[in-house]
Structure formats: structure tokens, C-alpha cells
Amino acid sequence: MDKKLDNQKICFIICYNQEVYLEECLVYLQNLHVPDGFSTDLLTISDAPSITQGYQTAMNESDAKYKIYMHQDVFILYPYFLDSLIQIFQLYSRIGMIGMVGTPTFSSDYIMWSSQLVGSHYKDYYYNGKGVTPCDYRTYRYELNHGLSMMDVIDGFLMATAYDIPWRTDLLDGWHFYDVSQSFEFRKRGLKIAVPGQNCPWCLHDDGVAASLWDYNKYRKICMEEYPLSLLPPGSH
């Protein structure tokens, strides 16, 4: 039997391998305003065999309706972040997942960085199509939209959900393309994915340039086979 979810609870779920990052991340979480009537919970997973396994384990343990899956190096800057998420989810029942950055037209090469990106976040660098370039914080926006933009796929540094959709632990046993996979899994079920307009970035993603791309192409090919673009609604790609 499915567990009963608490509609007034928000759970932060973080896979981590560096205590320093986690400690700083939690400082920002403690400073967030919690919507009236809501409570928050925290699940941290260390040394997970894969990010899908870590997230699935936490999802099974949490009874919160609203779950925020995030990297250890994501720092939420906007104090009313939770208020905004809950308002969106409650106003639009078919929005199943919210991200801070995404693409409304997913590229046929399945590489998000080569797609048109929408949303905002502070980070140390960006990918300019040819290589990595230091980020000028005065030009941090991919695109400034007011309201909500519907996405094909969102970036996995922060993924907030209102529904429990299983993570594909059978498909992805590493650290790449879990965000692409989960975006398609939500879309397959008729749920929408949104990125809110942000006059100033709601998050800082301090991921540096040392992220490992080991097996990146392996998982890209897996997703290309498992999730053909034909699964997306006509005209969305």
C-alpha cells in the first residue's frame, strides 16, 4: 500500500560526499521562511552508489508531499523560496516538478547545455558551446521571463516535486542524466515541468569546473534510446 503523504510537509533531500559543502548548504536552508501551516524535514544521504539510488531511498523514507532534491553545493538565496514553490504547486495541480534552470526545447543531441536555456542561478562558470568560461555575475541570466515557463527538461542541481515518481535506478547507476530521465518520467505521466521567473537568482550553484564527466556519453546514449523525443508533445522540441 502506498504511504500516506503529509500535504503540509516539505522535505529537502541531499546526496553528499563533502561535509563542508553540506554544512554551508544547511545554513541557507535554516534561513528560509516556512509557509504558514507547513513543516520542513531533511534527509541527507552519504556515499550513495548512484544519485538515482540515493534519491529513491530518500523518497521511500519521506512522507512529505513536497520534496526538494538538491546538490550539496546549492545554496538557496531567496528567503521566500518555499512560499513561491508551494504557491505554484497549489495553483497548478498539473505542474509536477519545478526547477531553477531548464530548456523548453530539448536538443536532439540530448545535451542540455546545447539547448536554449531558461531560468537563473549564480554559478562560477558557464558553458558557451565551445568550452568553459568564467561567469560574470552581471550577466547571469539565461533568459528573464516573468511568471512561469514550461520546460521539456530541467537541470538537476535542484528539482522540486509535488508527486512521487520513481527514479530510474534500473536505468541509471551513476551521476549523470538523472535529471533528463526524471523530466521524461514526469512528462510521460502527463505532468508539466516549470521554471519560475526570477528577477534575481534564487540559488547559487557552487559546482566549480571539476565535475567528473566519467561515463557521461554512456548515460546520454541510454537516455536517447529510452526516451525518444517523440515522447514529448508535438512542437515542444
Side-chain angles (χ1 to χ4, degrees):
M1 179 181 291
D2 292 339
K3 62 180 180 293
K4 183 177 180 180
L5 297 180
D6 186 340
N7 291 343
Q8 301 296 111
K9 183 184 286 188
I10 305 163
C11 183
F12 294 97
I13 295 172
I14 306 169
C15 285
Y16 75 97
N17 60 8
Q18 295 187 48
E19 291 279 355
V20 172
Y21 268 123
L22 179 64
E23 290 174 3
E24 185 169 1
C25 176
L26 297 185
V27 170
Y28 286 88
L29 298 188
Q30 292 164 3
N31 290 330
L32 296 179
H33 178 264
V34 179
D36 291 343
F38 280 79
S39 63
T40 60
D41 196 5
L42 171 69
L43 288 175
T44 59
I45 305 96
S46 63
D47 302 319
S50 69
I51 196 163
T52 55
Q53 187 62 59
Y55 282 170
Q56 184 64 45
T57 297
M59 189 186 84
N60 293 342
E61 292 181 4
S62 174
D63 65 349
K65 174 177 175 59
Y66 304 104
K67 297 177 176 69
I68 301 172
Y69 302 89
M70 54 189 290
H71 293 186
Q72 63 184 0
D73 53 10
V74 171
F75 312 132
I76 301 176
L77 308 175
Y78 180 43
Y80 296 100
F81 175 83
L82 297 178
D83 301 76
S84 296
L85 290 187
I86 296 301
Q87 183 180 45
I88 293 169
F89 281 136
Q90 291 185 340
L91 284 175
Y92 306 98
S93 62
R94 297 313 297 168
I95 292 180
M97 187 159 61
I98 297 172
M100 298 296 99
V101 171
T103 176
T105 309
F106 193 39
S107 173
S108 60
D109 63 8
Y110 283 61
I111 299 175
M112 193 177 308
W113 304 320
S114 60
S115 307
Q116 173 197 2
L117 295 177
V118 172
S120 292
H121 70 330
Y122 285 120
K123 62 185 297 167
D124 291 336
Y125 73 96
Y126 67 94
Y127 185 75
N128 64 8
K130 298 179 180 179
V132 171
T133 301
C135 183
D136 181 349
Y137 285 153
R138 294 170 295 180
T139 58
Y140 53 78
R141 297 182 181 93
Y142 293 116
E143 181 176 324
L144 179 59
N145 287 333
H146 297 287
L148 293 170
S149 297
M150 298 303 142
M151 300 290 114
D152 281 352
V153 173
I154 58 172
D155 191 295
F157 71 85
L158 189 146
M159 307 172 78
T161 67
Y163 300 93
D164 282 354
I165 304 299
W167 296 84
R168 292 297 302 272
T169 57
D170 60 318
L171 192 70
L172 303 170
D173 57 2
W175 302 91
H176 299 295
F177 282 90
Y178 61 94
D179 45 6
V180 171
S181 168
Q182 197 68 349
S183 295
F184 272 87
E185 293 294 331
F186 269 73
R187 298 292 298 278
K188 282 166 56 178
R189 291 162 172 81
L191 295 168
K192 297 182 179 297
I193 305 170
V195 165
Q198 304 158 61
N199 288 326
C200 291
W202 292 1
C203 297
L204 186 154
H205 187 199
D206 186 18
D207 57 342
V209 295
S212 172
L213 294 180
W214 180 259
D215 280 344
Y216 180 88
N217 202 46
K218 166 188 169 182
Y219 295 114
R220 183 178 70 91
K221 290 180 178 179
I222 288 173
C223 281
M224 292 179 78
E225 293 177 3
E226 182 70 17
Y227 303 111
L229 292 180
S230 59
L231 289 175
L232 298 173
S236 69
H237 59 275

